Each structure stands twice: as structure tokens, then as C-alpha cells.
Amino acid sequence: RCVTDAAGSLRAHIEALLSMGVANSPMHGAAIRVSSGNYVTARPMGVLDGIDFKHTGVVRKVDATALRQQLEINVVGQVAVTQAFLPLLRLGPGRIINIGSIDGFHIPKHETYAYASSKAAAHQLSIHLADQLAKKNITVNVIAPGMFPSKMMQGTLDRVGEEKVLEKVPMKRLTSGDDMAATALFLAS
């Protein structure tokens, strides 16, 4: 229920934000689509070593069509937004800040194929764009947060405790909104 509520609430919020067109802007009339879904069918793992893995499981099937759609939106959507804003960015200095995830850098412990794959692709796309756009005085960076407090994370924190969750985190703390904001402000300066 928590995952369903969080995903539905976040999707509705993102769709609402993306559906707002601003007159006289490069984004006026843009058709940005949002996709979410269950792209991997898995056999639930259950409780292992005292941790309830809820909806995590062993892969039975990957929905390749849905996965392609997710990558289309997360990665190709990044290109579309970049292209739409290039005329403004070229007035320079331009700044592009993408949001990735630490899951784009390592093998996730959970079966998050669509999420991890799209984040890895977003990171690689950002690296490539950074190389190409640098000569136009436009920087491209990615913020790749680790674990942060959310409705979904709260369930895990309640079940296993913050100490267990942060065992392998060097600073022994969650990423905060202030961390994200400060990083974005630094990269935008």
C-alpha cells in the first residue's frame, strides 16, 4: 500500500508539473509524457535475514516493451528537454543539471531493472552531452543521490532501523533535501 500510494502520488505530481505549458517559452506546447509501471514480473523473496523484502523478488519475466517505454521517457525525454532549451542555454553560460541515482553506478541489491537501467543511461547521456556542449559554454552535470527519506524509505527504516539501513553508507546518514538543493545551487553557479 505504501509503495502504491507513493508511486501514484509522485506520478500525479510529476504529470501535473509537466503538463503546465508556459506561453512564450521553448516548452510551450511540448508534449512530455510520463510513464510508470511494473516492468519486471518476479517471485517475491519474502523475509530473508529478518528483512521483509515485500515486493522484491527473483525475476521471472522482463516486460521489454514497457522497459523500452521507460527508457524512452527517462532518457530520450532528457534529450528532448535539452534540445528545447538549447536556444536559451546558448545565451550562456548554460547549465544542465540532471537527476540520476547511485543505482546507475552499481549493481542494485533489488530487482530494479527499469529504474537502474534508465539511471545508468541518463548518466552516460549526461557525460556525452557534457563533452559535446562544453565548447558552447554549457555544462552538464548529474546529481546522483543515495538513499533519502521518502514514504517508501520510511517503511524500510521502520522495519529494520536506520542504523541497519546506513551500515554501508560512509557518512552514516540519509541524503537530505538540503544536500540536493545545495548541490544544484553549486552546479548552477
Side-chain angles (χ1 to χ4, degrees):
R1 174 114 173 102
C2 178
V3 171
T4 304
D5 291 347
S9 175
L10 181 60
R11 179 179 178 168
H13 179 71
I14 291 170
E15 286 178 347
L17 291 173
L18 291 175
S19 67
M20 294 180 206
V22 179
N24 301 321
S25 79
M27 292 305 294
H28 181 68
I32 300 174
R33 290 171 178 74
V34 178
S35 171
S36 67
N38 185 8
Y39 308 117
V40 178
T41 304
R43 180 176 44 88
M45 289 172 36
V47 178
L48 297 175
D49 297 325
I51 299 172
D52 184 356
F53 285 91
K54 299 260 181 203
H55 303 290
T56 302
V58 178
V59 174
R60 289 183 179 170
K61 176 182 118 180
V62 175
D63 184 342
T65 301
L67 182 57
R68 275 189 211 96
Q69 182 183 13
Q70 183 70 24
L71 291 169
E72 175 80 19
I73 289 168
N74 287 339
V75 180
V76 177
Q78 200 177 88
V79 172
V81 170
T82 299
Q83 286 176 330
F85 280 100
L86 269 177
L88 292 174
L89 292 166
R90 285 189 180 118
L91 298 175
R95 303 287 185 257
I96 297 172
I97 303 168
N98 294 316
I99 305 298
S101 170
I102 196 166
D103 277 354
F105 294 119
H106 67 88
I107 300 170
K109 300 292 182 208
H110 303 293
E111 309 293 326
T112 55
Y113 295 99
Y115 180 79
S117 298
S118 66
K119 293 303 183 180
H123 290 284
Q124 185 59 34
L125 174 63
S126 296
I127 291 167
H128 192 72
L129 286 172
D131 181 61
Q132 295 299 311
L133 296 175
K135 47 191 156 249
K136 294 179 171 49
N137 200 24
I138 300 169
T139 63
V140 181
N141 289 284
V142 181
I143 299 173
M147 292 180 280
F148 58 92
S150 66
K151 288 180 185 176
M152 288 180 6
M153 177 57 75
Q154 191 59 51
T156 302
L157 292 170
D158 291 345
R159 279 191 312 279
V160 300
E162 189 168 326
E163 188 175 313
K164 178 78 173 166
V165 169
L166 298 175
E167 245 174 25
K168 295 183 180 180
V169 177
M171 292 187 74
K172 304 296 184 218
R173 68 180 185 86
L174 298 171
T175 301
S176 72
D178 287 344
D179 294 329
M180 297 286 290
T183 304
L185 286 171
F186 171 76
L187 293 172
S189 64

